[in-house]
Amino acid sequence: MRHFHNKIGKNTEYFFKKPPYLCTMDYFKMLMEDVRMREGLKACMNCGVCTAICPAAEFYDYDPRQIVETVQSRDNSRIEALLCSETIWYCGQCMSCRPRCPRGNTPGYIIQSLRYLSQKLGLFVQSEKGRQQLALKRTIGENIMHYGYCLVPQEISPDLHPEQGTVWRWIHSHDRDIYPLFTPSYRKAGAGALRKLDEGSLAEIHRIFELSGGKEFFDLIEEYSERKAREMGYEGATHEYMLDTFTKNSSEQ
Amino acid sequence: MRRGNWEEYQKSIADDNYYYARSCIRQNFFPGSEKAFLDIVANRLGRNIYDDPLHSSCTGIGYHSDIVPLDTIMAVVARQFALMNEAGYENLVSSCITSFGIYTEILSTWEEFPETEQRAAETLYKATGRTLVKPKNVAHTSDVIFHLRKQIAEQMTRPLINVRTGEPLRVVEHIGCHYAKIFPKKGIGGSEFPYVLAGMIESWGGEVVDYPERRHCCGFGFRNYLVQANRGYSVANSQKKLESMAPYRPDFIVCNCPGCAMFLDKWQYTIAEMEGTTYGQGGVGIPVLTYEEMAGLVLGYDPWQLGMQMHQVDVEPLLDKMGVEYDPATKYLGVNGKYIGKPEQAVVNGDCPSGFYSMLSL
């Protein structure tokens, strides 16, 4: 099956990348500690139905079939290359692959496990798409910690979201005159949409993040990003570095 | 695969006493829909539903962006369940498809890997002093509207009929991937023939449009939209759907998932600004509704009270077809009737502003 894969594989990027850990770890074993791997990886026959249905495969040079085949090979050098690659960051986690697989695999779950391990080991900063995790931590992650929600209107800047259009720009400029039409508690205490979450509830969320490893994970993303940013010539994981990960594609420069 | 194979994919939906969990995306972009849902369920149909000020985001967008670990989201979800139990409820109703997918996935994972449930319960107790009690029934808010669709039909004042022609309105329904693709048996009709929105449309007089890319993702793709550098993925997938549905001349799109409704609305704006392409009739976009807005319109609600002025694609062409009376002068007024200006023009609404194709430089 590996011979078959190498012959027809269209995405060879990760096979030639020099791995920073030189395969000193049993990545497959580490992956299998994640319940999503145990649920998502059964026995793939490489039929490619997942790739046929995959929205990411239509847009990127991406092939979930190859991801599953690589992980299933238990070849830690290939898995390490995958953990350092752009490839694992292409999936949109729509999970369209899940109901279609005739063998009960879920490539989307395997991707989740790979991304988790890539971040735990600091390998995500090896790829441009991986480095975007800092931007996600600083936007969605910090929204959760500050507001208790993944997004709030005041943080959806029309300048960073031009696709939101002219109506969103109008809403964003007049939020305190518009949202109270629909909620009694806009940015205030009480039940209703977009309420200010009470301090007790927010403190509970913070403690959950501390005790469950969520805060440590955020800190890891920051630490690895800081190191990589300096290596790339920035003064650290500054706002400028974060914005560059958020906005730039090197292939378009 | 034949439709008949999916007929067994039905689910039990509680009839009353709901604990309501809000949606990050829906409350941002469609707050009128959340308000309408509560009003329809409680005041029009007499059900008991509790809007708890203590619950938070499920953190699902963070989880699917891979910054929130599995153990963390499990403990956050355990807190939602604990709050529900403390409030005296056992039927969870989620206003968000991402959250609905999260709740069903976590309950299933706890079933299959009991040690994960134990860990979540322990974290919850240590962090908050609360006790995990799992819900007896988990539904999406659209499941509840589907469950009550015949009672809504009895109170209907504006069926989904074109008043000019007398013909049923042609409706594209978009289900949202995480409603049934993760656990097909948790969605009405499964992932291949989801019936949750189609059932509403048929009950209220409309005609469901079938088209080739009906089951394709809207293109959210989490990190593929949330990071600006990746948004080509998102718009390309929405475009694929829009190109596929346009030849069938739908009168409107109705979405199950608040994210899908937002993307199919906003990406029509972007495509129109970038390329001048519009997908509706008469050189404008196709209106995109939430199912709460669709239910609200058939029940006679005012479109501006439903929040339809917050859409980027104008809904007036649909309102005119349905014979909805509305006051154009009040569309963009703020609270207490305050005049707050109005949005700039957009190509998707048939305008040719000075910045035509202005997004080409993005």
Side-chain angles (χ1 to χ4, degrees):
Chain A
M1 187 56 75
R2 286 179 62 186
H3 172 70
F4 174 77
H5 160 84
N6 288 333
K7 251 180 121 174
I8 67 162
K10 64 174 179 176
N11 187 340
T12 52
E13 168 244 329
Y14 55 80
F15 296 110
F16 300 107
K17 194 148 194 163
K18 189 178 177 186
Y21 284 151
L22 301 170
C23 307
T24 54
M25 298 186 192
D26 188 345
Y27 299 109
F28 183 78
K29 188 178 171 196
M30 294 165 88
L31 285 169
M32 291 308 286
E33 287 167 8
D34 188 331
V35 293
R36 293 169 296 193
M37 277 295 294
R38 280 182 263 159
E39 179 66 25
L41 182 65
K42 308 296 181 192
C44 169
M45 60 180 177
N46 249 260
C47 67
V49 164
C50 55
T51 302
I53 197 75
C54 177
E58 290 195 42
F59 186 73
Y60 290 116
D61 185 6
Y62 176 66
D63 186 345
R65 177 187 62 83
Q66 284 194 22
I67 300 279
V68 181
E69 197 281 331
T70 301
V71 172
Q72 186 173 253
S73 74
R74 303 185 181 212
D75 180 335
N76 281 318
S77 63
R78 291 177 68 203
I79 295 174
E80 183 180 271
L82 204 53
L83 292 167
C84 298
S85 71
E86 304 288 344
T87 316
I88 58 169
W89 303 101
Y90 293 151
C91 164
Q93 290 187 24
C94 66
M95 301 298 172
S96 299
C97 50
R98 182 168 161 82
R100 287 298 177 92
C101 178
R103 300 294 292 275
N105 297 286
T106 308
Y109 283 177
I110 295 170
I111 284 288
Q112 288 181 309
S113 302
L114 287 162
R115 289 178 179 177
Y116 178 71
L117 187 60
S118 178
Q119 290 174 96
K120 284 288 272 191
L121 299 175
L123 299 176
F124 69 104
V125 297
Q126 300 295 320
S127 66
E128 185 175 78
K129 294 288 183 201
R131 289 194 287 277
Q132 295 169 342
Q133 289 307 99
L134 179 71
L136 289 161
K137 181 265 167 186
R138 291 212 185 150
T139 51
I140 303 300
E142 291 183 8
N143 282 346
I144 293 169
M145 302 316 283
H146 291 154
Y147 304 106
Y149 305 117
C150 292
L151 55 153
V152 291
Q154 61 268 35
E155 300 292 348
I156 306 171
S157 153
D159 291 335
L160 289 177
H161 292 269
E163 77 291 342
Q164 285 290 332
T166 55
V167 175
W168 179 253
R169 190 171 284 278
W170 171 75
I171 294 167
H172 193 263
S173 302
H174 302 286
D175 62 328
R176 290 180 187 275
D177 288 311
I178 295 170
Y179 283 103
L181 291 166
F182 310 108
T183 171
S185 51
Y186 181 57
R187 300 175 75 169
K188 294 190 294 193
L194 295 167
R195 66 193 182 279
K196 184 176 187 295
L197 196 62
D198 63 284
E199 287 185 9
S201 294
L202 208 50
E204 288 186 8
I205 300 297
H206 283 211
R207 282 199 295 275
I208 285 173
F209 268 72
E210 281 166 16
L211 292 174
S212 63
K215 183 178 181 306
E216 184 189 11
F217 200 67
F218 280 5
D219 292 344
L220 267 182
I221 293 171
E222 286 283 348
E223 284 166 25
Y224 286 122
S225 299
E226 171 75 18
R227 208 179 302 165
K228 184 66 183 181
R230 289 186 182 281
E231 188 187 310
M232 293 172 69
Y234 292 86
E235 289 179 7
T238 58
H239 186 64
E240 181 197 3
Y241 170 78
M242 187 278 280
L243 267 186
D244 281 352
T245 69
F246 184 76
T247 57
K248 290 186 178 171
N249 285 310
S250 58
S251 60
E252 293 172 357
Q253 290 169 353
Chain B
M1 197 171 290
R2 287 176 307 191
R3 179 185 290 268
N5 296 4
W6 294 86
E7 282 176 358
E8 64 181 272
Y9 283 61
Q10 297 300 324
K11 65 188 279 186
S12 161
I13 302 163
D15 185 57
D16 202 352
N17 299 317
Y18 307 111
Y19 180 88
Y20 184 59
R22 287 183 183 273
S23 152
C24 291
I25 293 184
R26 202 182 298 278
Q27 66 176 352
N28 269 266
F29 296 100
F30 306 102
S33 292
E34 292 205 332
K35 183 181 180 188
F37 176 81
L38 292 172
D39 191 60
I40 291 168
V41 171
N43 301 326
R44 292 293 190 104
L45 303 174
R47 265 49 174 200
N48 175 34
I49 185 162
Y50 181 55
D51 182 13
D52 188 350
L54 298 180
H55 88 76
S56 69
S57 166
C58 75
T59 71
I61 295 174
Y63 174 70
H64 285 296
S65 304
D66 308 282
I67 55 164
V68 173
L70 181 59
D71 277 346
T72 301
I73 194 169
M74 281 186 173
V76 172
V77 165
R79 179 177 180 272
Q80 314 279 67
F81 292 164
L83 290 171
M84 178 199 65
N85 179 61
E86 289 167 25
Y89 291 81
E90 51 190 19
N91 302 322
L92 186 87
V93 180
S94 165
S95 175
C96 173
I97 289 291
T98 299
S99 299
F100 176 73
I102 291 289
Y103 295 135
T104 52
E105 181 179 337
I106 286 178
L107 285 168
S108 167
T109 306
W110 286 348
E111 197 74 31
E112 196 156 345
F113 304 98
E115 71 278 12
T116 59
E117 179 180 345
Q118 194 182 346
R119 217 158 49 226
E122 284 171 7
T123 303
L124 175 71
Y125 186 76
K126 282 182 194 163
T128 69
R130 301 184 192 276
T131 303
L132 168 61
V133 178
K134 290 184 281 188
K136 279 199 176 159
N137 189 276
V138 175
H140 185 247
T141 38
S142 61
D143 292 331
V144 173
I145 295 288
F146 174 86
H147 178 70
L148 301 171
R149 69 194 185 284
K150 289 179 181 161
Q151 290 174 58
I152 290 172
E154 288 166 9
Q155 297 185 30
M156 181 165 61
T157 58
R158 301 177 190 129
L160 298 174
I161 301 286
N162 185 327
V163 294
R164 295 169 184 156
T165 64
E167 296 292 319
L169 290 172
R170 296 170 56 74
V171 190
V172 157
E173 45 83 276
H174 179 73
I175 296 302
C177 295
H178 288 200
Y179 175 70
K181 286 181 183 172
I182 304 179
F183 290 96
K185 291 204 170 180
K186 299 295 182 186
I188 298 159
S191 61
E192 293 296 335
F193 294 99
Y195 191 62
V196 60
L197 297 181
M200 294 179 208
I201 294 162
E202 289 173 5
S203 295
W204 303 337
E207 178 186 333
V208 178
V209 174
D210 200 6
Y211 68 104
E213 297 300 340
R214 188 173 173 187
R215 303 282 168 254
H216 196 75
C217 174
C218 73
F220 179 11
F222 296 97
R223 71 188 325 279
N224 286 301
Y225 170 74
L226 297 168
V227 177
Q228 191 182 70
N230 303 341
R231 285 183 194 148
Y233 167 111
S234 188
V235 67
N237 280 295
S238 280
Q239 186 181 34
K240 177 174 176 153
K241 285 189 73 77
L242 292 162
E243 295 277 351
S244 176
M245 72 177 73
Y248 296 82
R249 300 173 65 83
D251 293 304
F252 70 98
I253 302 167
V254 63
C255 291
N256 207 21
C257 169
C260 304
M262 187 266 280
F263 290 115
L264 290 172
D265 183 52
K266 303 299 172 67
W267 287 131
Q268 286 194 73
Y269 160 82
T270 304
I271 293 166
E273 295 292 319
M274 292 179 77
E275 300 179 346
T277 305
T278 51
Y279 295 99
Q281 297 155 42
V284 297
I286 308 170
V288 186
L289 273 61
T290 65
Y291 53 86
E292 297 101 322
E293 289 168 345
M294 180 170 71
L297 285 181
V298 303
L299 284 169
Y301 284 63
D302 180 271
W304 313 146
Q305 288 180 5
L306 290 168
M308 298 176 83
Q309 66 275 43
M310 293 177 75
H311 295 205
Q312 179 62 54
V313 178
D314 283 344
V315 295
E316 283 87 337
L318 170 65
L319 302 180
D320 293 340
K321 286 177 190 169
M322 287 182 72
V324 175
E325 291 182 6
Y326 57 91
D327 182 358
T330 60
K331 180 176 182 183
Y332 293 118
L333 295 181
V335 71
N336 299 322
K338 183 180 173 185
Y339 179 72
I340 52 173
K342 59 181 186 178
E344 290 176 21
Q345 294 181 320
V347 177
V348 74
N349 293 323
D351 307 317
C352 284
S354 56
F356 188 45
Y357 296 359
S358 60
M359 294 183 73
L360 279 174
S361 59
L362 291 175

